[in-house]
């Protein structure tokens, strides 16, 4: 089956397209709640556990690290598998919006 190429849109329009923020530029509700908990902590330390005493999801933590909203802070010698993180300035700005 032959596919027909569609014409490319013309850039002849003088008005620029409105700037769109990437969809993932905003944290999810869970990410925002976790990041917000670091605002009142010394150094912006982010919690290892949620309000119910359960471990914070490693996927949530990794997503925030990938977006630059959080960063690793230090290694815990007693629990090397725990990733202790803190808010970045970008993370602070995101949750203060």
């Amino acid at each position: 089956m032959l596919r027909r190429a569609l014409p490319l849109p013309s850039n002849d329009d003088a008005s620029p397209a409105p700037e769109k923020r990437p969809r993932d530029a905003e944290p999810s509700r869970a990410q925002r709640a976790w990041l917000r908990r670091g605002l009142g902590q010394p150094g912006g330390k982010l919690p290892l556990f949620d309000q119910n005493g359960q471990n914070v999801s490693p996927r949530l933590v990794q997503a925030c690290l990938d977006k630059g909203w959080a960063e690793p802070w230090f290694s815990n010698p007693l629990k090397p598998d725990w990733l202790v993180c803190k808010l970045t300035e970008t993370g602070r700005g995101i949750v203060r919006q």
Side-chain angles (χ1 to χ4, degrees):
M1 175 162 142
L2 292 174
R3 293 193 179 192
R4 196 179 208 181
L6 297 174
L8 294 174
S10 171
N11 284 339
D12 295 338
D13 187 9
S15 63
E19 192 174 315
K20 291 185 180 179
R21 293 181 74 180
R23 181 181 167 145
D24 62 355
E26 292 294 320
S28 69
R29 178 178 286 158
Q31 290 168 340
R32 185 177 294 277
W34 182 65
L35 293 167
R36 191 171 283 138
R37 290 181 64 200
L39 287 175
Q41 296 300 313
K45 182 186 177 295
L46 292 163
L48 298 169
F49 304 98
D50 65 15
Q51 288 91 341
N52 299 320
Q54 301 298 309
N55 289 338
V56 173
S57 164
R59 288 179 55 203
L60 181 144
V61 173
Q62 190 60 54
C64 290
L65 290 170
D66 292 345
K67 303 261 190 308
W69 301 329
E71 63 186 0
W73 196 1
F74 62 86
S75 298
N76 184 337
L78 299 176
K79 290 288 194 175
D81 56 322
W82 287 4
L83 182 58
V84 180
C85 297
K86 66 178 181 173
L87 276 173
T88 62
E89 285 306 312
T90 303
R92 287 178 194 280
I94 284 286
V95 295
R96 287 184 175 150
Q97 289 180 353

